[in-house]
Amino acid sequence: MHEINPLVHGQLRLDARGPRNNFCTRRTGESRFSANPTASAKLMPIDSIKILGTPVACATYDSALEAVMALAREPRPTAVCPANTHILAEARHNPDFARVLAKFDLVLPDGMPVVWSLNRFEAGLSDRVYGPYFMRHTLRNTSRPWRHFFFGDTGECLAELRRVAVQLQPDIEIVGTISPPFRLLTEEDEASFAEVINRAAPDFVWVALPGVRMERWIIGNQARYKRGVFLAVGDAFTLLTGRRKFAPAWIQRRGLTWFFRLWAEPRRLGPRYLRYNFLFLSYLLWDGLRGRTRDETN
């Protein structure tokens, strides 16, 4: 049985408009993030650069937060994916997954190798937008009336995540959680999830599912939902609750988080990292040899 913990709220209408390509940025010295989900703001677009064929936003934690706030105000479901080398290599190698990733409204640079690739085109970034840290940053800066929903992992993890979220932001509003069953989801499951989430009317739906199943689930089920920004944050629930340790900061800065995890779980992660790191570097080198410029990749 999957576990559901909803708090019911009013329903909102569905808007059939497609994804937009303009996102917003926050310049140093501007006002704090808006506390009103319905407030309008004058926002500047975030530039994006194609890495292995996928447009990746040249975003910081703050500009990404402004962007997801804008997406959460949309009267339609929207989607955000922090993408590392695995995600980008999979999209380049697998046309079917590339079509999935292309439907996301915003793709963020989740790994340092992705940042370095963007900086080859003068993106000027000093840090990645790492999914778990971005979730933590967003929770801290979205007190009521912003509304959050957690989807994924176990019931025990979700209960701990709720406590962590309240510690990060005492005035946070968590309108529900769902721990989906660890098996192939049925149509009955999906209809049940949609009913619960639509009734809860969250602004942010944080999704933590294994591998690329997460991105496929978000895009494959968008038509079931009325509104809210769905964020693919992978192992953020596990890391934020302390069930697994973050890599030390110096390892993260050097783009070696994958090595830290490989050291801890070599048998499970070795084949995956060998495959996708090789694919990412191979495609990156191939694009470089072909002389692709920023204009050609946009």
Side-chain angles (χ1 to χ4, degrees):
M1 290 291 291
H2 54 268
E3 300 181 23
I4 300 176
N5 179 19
L7 295 177
V8 178
H9 189 62
Q11 297 183 356
L12 296 175
R13 68 183 179 86
L14 172 66
D15 192 298
R17 291 175 294 174
R20 296 181 177 180
N21 293 322
N22 291 329
F23 305 103
C24 37
T25 187
R26 174 176 179 264
R27 294 178 175 177
T28 302
E30 290 182 354
S31 61
R32 291 293 297 166
F33 309 108
S34 170
N36 185 355
T38 63
S40 61
K42 293 182 179 179
L43 300 167
M44 297 180 65
I46 294 178
D47 192 16
S48 66
I49 297 171
K50 283 188 177 180
I51 304 298
L52 306 192
T54 295
V56 180
C58 303
T60 65
Y61 285 103
D62 281 355
S63 66
L65 176 54
E66 289 280 12
V68 300
M69 284 177 162
L71 289 172
R73 295 185 182 105
E74 290 284 318
R76 63 181 178 93
T78 55
V80 174
C81 176
N84 56 20
T85 56
H86 178 177
I87 294 296
L88 296 177
E90 178 70 22
R92 177 65 173 265
H93 195 68
N94 183 342
D96 179 62
F97 185 70
R99 287 188 287 271
V100 170
L101 198 57
K103 294 180 180 179
F104 276 79
D105 297 86
L106 179 63
V107 176
L108 298 170
D110 180 88
M112 288 307 298
V114 180
V115 169
W116 298 332
S117 299
L118 292 172
N119 285 345
R120 291 175 55 239
F121 299 107
E122 301 180 354
L125 297 175
S126 60
D127 197 6
R128 59 180 175 168
V129 183
Y130 183 35
Y133 289 166
F134 180 59
M135 181 176 177
R136 184 171 65 186
H137 183 62
T138 303
L139 295 178
R140 280 176 172 163
N141 287 282
T142 49
S143 58
R144 297 172 190 270
W146 294 103
R147 300 163 63 84
H148 297 267
F149 197 104
F150 302 145
F151 182 95
D153 218 296
T154 65
E156 293 81 5
C157 180
L158 290 171
E160 181 61 27
L161 182 62
R162 182 185 287 270
R163 288 191 288 271
V164 169
V166 171
Q167 291 172 356
L168 291 170
Q169 172 50 262
D171 196 30
I172 197 169
E173 185 170 10
I174 301 168
V175 295
T177 65
I178 292 177
S179 174
F182 287 84
R183 55 165 171 74
L184 186 65
L185 299 178
T186 66
E187 173 61 27
E188 183 180 359
D189 292 329
E190 299 292 9
S192 173
F193 301 156
E195 180 181 3
V196 171
I197 293 174
N198 283 330
R199 284 181 178 274
D203 300 300
F204 302 93
V205 182
W206 302 95
V207 180
L209 295 174
V212 296
R213 173 187 171 192
M214 176 171 55
E215 289 81 10
R216 293 182 184 278
W217 182 85
I218 289 174
I219 297 304
N221 288 284
Q222 274 204 318
R224 300 177 188 270
Y225 294 95
K226 297 182 177 182
R227 60 172 298 274
V229 56
F230 288 69
L231 302 103
V233 291
D235 54 1
F237 294 8
T238 300
L239 288 165
L240 292 178
T241 56
R243 291 174 171 240
R244 198 178 77 232
K245 291 183 179 180
F246 283 100
W250 69 270
I251 288 181
Q252 294 190 45
R253 287 194 300 270
R254 287 163 175 78
L256 294 173
T257 300
W258 65 272
F259 185 77
F260 178 83
R261 290 201 61 199
L262 179 62
W263 183 267
E265 301 179 84
R267 289 188 179 181
R268 186 174 75 86
L269 298 178
R272 181 204 304 179
Y273 286 152
L274 179 63
R275 171 181 171 81
Y276 288 104
N277 286 355
F278 174 78
L279 285 175
F280 182 83
L281 291 173
S282 298
Y283 285 128
L284 202 64
L285 179 61
W286 175 247
D287 287 349
L289 291 174
R290 292 177 64 192
R292 288 192 169 189
T293 65
R294 171 176 172 153
D295 290 338
E296 289 172 335
T297 57
N298 272 286

